Amino acid sequence: MSNLRDKLWIAKYAPTNLDETIMSDEIKTKMEEMVRTKDIPNLGFFGSAGTGKTTTGKVLLDVLDVDPGDIMFVNASDVNSVDAVRNMIKPFAMSMSINQDLPIRFVFLDEADHLSPQAQAALRNLIEASYGSARFILTANYPKKIIPALHSRLQTFTLAKPDINAIADRIVAILEAEEVEIENEDELVVLIQDNSTDIRKLIQLCQQNTVEDADGNKVIKIQIKENAGGDTFKKYVKLYKKGDAKALRQLVYSDFTDTDTNEFYSLMLDEIIKDPEAFEEIGDGIDNIIYYLNESQKTHEVVANKVLNVIGFTVATIVAGE
Ligand SMILES: Nc1ncnc2c1ncn2[C@@H]1O[C@H](COP(=O)(O)OP(=O)(O)OP(=O)(O)O)[C@@H](O)[C@H]1O
Ligand SMILES: [Mg+2]
């Protein structure tokens, strides 16, 4: 009972079959068909954090009962070079599986949006060349970072906006399994609604809000509504729209990781395009922000301190007009 897997609900309740995995009926039907026919295309699972991209890919391999020796799992945020594609992935994908039932090997490229453009270009040919022996499963938060030539070789699924009732059912099932009493159903419903786009975070919040009462019974009382770490970028945008340079400096310095800085520029552009009015009054306005965004992004790969680069952008654009 003491290992981490038992302690963390997100790991303990990681789905092991398609029924436990929250997904749209449309996607479920297609997955079931793949399992039934064993006719598996190259796949891409896209969507924001905690929607089940990695889970869905893993569950599919589980349900297909793929031999572990026929799976190469690559986390592309660690391994992302063209050399890795040529020297590690290619030899694996080009050799045949000896499994009788499903003689296919699988290359699982998790977080494939971190693959370098050269690695992606190399994959383009490999996916075709190895079609007789392997299939590729890619997951990504930002499908725009995946080159069109790769997109067109994948059957893609977007795991956005999961059904709220399906999420609620899953949460209730987890709470039942943990023998947790629900103190206030309305509050739980609000927590589910507020966090329905990130199932991982929602499950974590349910666990964090579960306490033992005086009699030693477990009960969920909603006290924490946001993760302590929270979504750093969301916090950034909130503060940025207020023009709070001091708080932003602090936030970026203490909370931004290298991954956050990598994604920062395109996320910020998305925010500006989505909600331009909110940025009009900041510093010298939107065009200035976009100009600096572009300038900082250009230097991103070469600067020694990426966090400082983001702080530089932040300060330069917020105080520009003052
Ligand atoms: N669709 C889902 N159905 C059931 N559980 C889910 C689902 N999505 C997420 N979870 C829960 O959250 C955990 C994390 O999900 P997963 O790693 O698949 O998310 P992800 O979309 O790959 O996120 P990231 O973008 O951060 O890689 C799972 O182990 C599971 O407990
Ligand atoms: Mg994932």
Side-chain angles (χ1 to χ4, degrees):
M1 271 308 281
S2 62
N3 73 35
L4 205 58
R5 211 190 130 73
D6 285 330
K7 281 191 188 147
L8 282 181
W9 289 5
I10 45 163
K12 192 172 173 186
Y13 298 101
T16 55
N17 59 50
L18 290 171
D19 284 331
E20 286 172 349
T21 316
I22 301 160
M23 59 178 96
S24 70
D25 290 344
E26 192 196 339
I27 299 181
K28 190 163 277 175
T29 308
K30 290 205 175 127
M31 294 290 142
E32 284 167 350
E33 197 183 314
M34 285 177 211
V35 173
R36 194 166 36 83
T37 59
K38 302 214 164 166
D39 186 1
I40 323 289
N42 291 301
L43 293 163
F45 295 111
F46 301 139
S48 54
T51 48
K53 300 177 294 297
T54 306
T55 300
T56 307
K58 282 186 172 168
V59 165
L60 182 66
L61 296 179
D62 261 8
V63 179
L64 284 168
D65 207 15
V66 179
D67 191 294
D70 283 334
I71 302 171
M72 176 178 269
F73 188 90
V74 179
N75 190 323
S77 54
D78 300 325
V79 177
N80 52 19
S81 68
V82 65
D83 285 347
V85 174
R86 286 193 191 126
N87 304 332
M88 187 180 95
I89 299 174
K90 187 176 176 190
F92 177 85
M94 295 298 284
S95 53
M96 294 296 293
S97 157
I98 52 162
N99 191 303
Q100 306 267 319
D101 287 339
L102 185 65
I104 305 176
R105 309 190 107 183
F106 289 87
V107 179
F108 198 129
L109 288 165
D110 207 25
E111 313 199 6
D113 38 4
H114 292 271
L115 288 167
S116 72
Q118 292 85 344
Q120 295 193 35
L123 269 179
R124 192 170 68 171
N125 295 329
L126 180 57
I127 290 180
E128 250 150 42
S130 62
Y131 196 76
S133 52
R135 294 293 178 277
F136 288 74
I137 299 178
L138 276 66
T139 78
N141 287 29
Y142 305 111
K144 276 191 284 183
K145 289 194 190 161
I146 297 194
I147 59 174
L150 267 190
H151 271 280
S152 74
R153 285 163 171 78
L154 305 172
Q155 186 163 335
T156 59
F157 297 96
T158 303
L159 308 183
K161 295 210 175 64
D163 177 58
I164 195 118
N165 292 316
I167 300 177
D169 287 348
R170 179 83 186 145
I171 294 296
V172 169
I174 292 175
L175 293 174
E176 268 172 15
E178 289 292 321
E179 299 179 348
V180 175
E181 206 184 300
I182 300 167
E183 191 188 58
N184 182 331
E185 215 167 280
D186 294 343
E187 275 182 9
L188 181 61
V189 169
V190 173
L191 188 81
I192 293 173
Q193 282 166 343
D194 287 351
N195 294 283
S196 63
T197 54
D198 185 344
I199 302 170
R200 177 199 285 117
K201 181 170 146 200
L202 177 62
I203 296 173
Q204 279 170 339
L205 283 169
C206 286
Q207 183 168 18
Q208 283 173 17
N209 281 301
T210 295
V211 291
E212 268 187 26
D213 68 11
D215 305 322
N217 298 319
K218 286 194 273 183
V219 52
I220 178 161
K221 289 187 193 191
I222 315 298
Q223 282 155 338
I224 309 164
K225 298 196 170 120
E226 237 181 293
N227 275 352
D231 183 340
T232 317
F233 181 72
K234 273 193 195 140
K235 274 196 218 161
Y236 178 95
V237 172
K238 234 187 213 169
L239 290 170
Y240 194 94
K241 286 177 179 171
K242 284 194 218 151
D244 190 342
K246 195 172 158 205
L248 283 164
R249 223 162 41 212
Q250 191 57 44
L251 175 77
V252 178
Y253 181 71
S254 52
D255 286 10
F256 265 54
T257 62
D258 264 358
T259 314
D260 292 327
T261 60
N262 284 339
E263 291 162 353
F264 175 78
Y265 301 98
S266 47
L267 284 178
M268 196 63 185
L269 182 63
D270 287 347
E271 287 294 325
I272 297 168
I273 302 296
K274 223 165 50 191
D275 185 14
E277 288 82 24
F279 293 87
E280 258 160 21
E281 303 291 319
I282 307 288
D284 281 343
I286 296 182
D287 291 340
N288 182 61
I289 298 173
I290 293 180
Y291 173 81
Y292 275 104
L293 207 53
N294 186 31
E295 289 300 304
S296 310
Q297 181 223 223
K298 277 193 253 174
T299 54
H300 176 79
E301 288 303 329
V302 292
V303 291
N305 188 335
K306 296 185 196 308
V307 164
L308 179 59
N309 214 35
V310 172
I311 296 181
F313 158 81
T314 309
V315 180
T317 49
I318 282 192
V319 299
E322 288 174 6

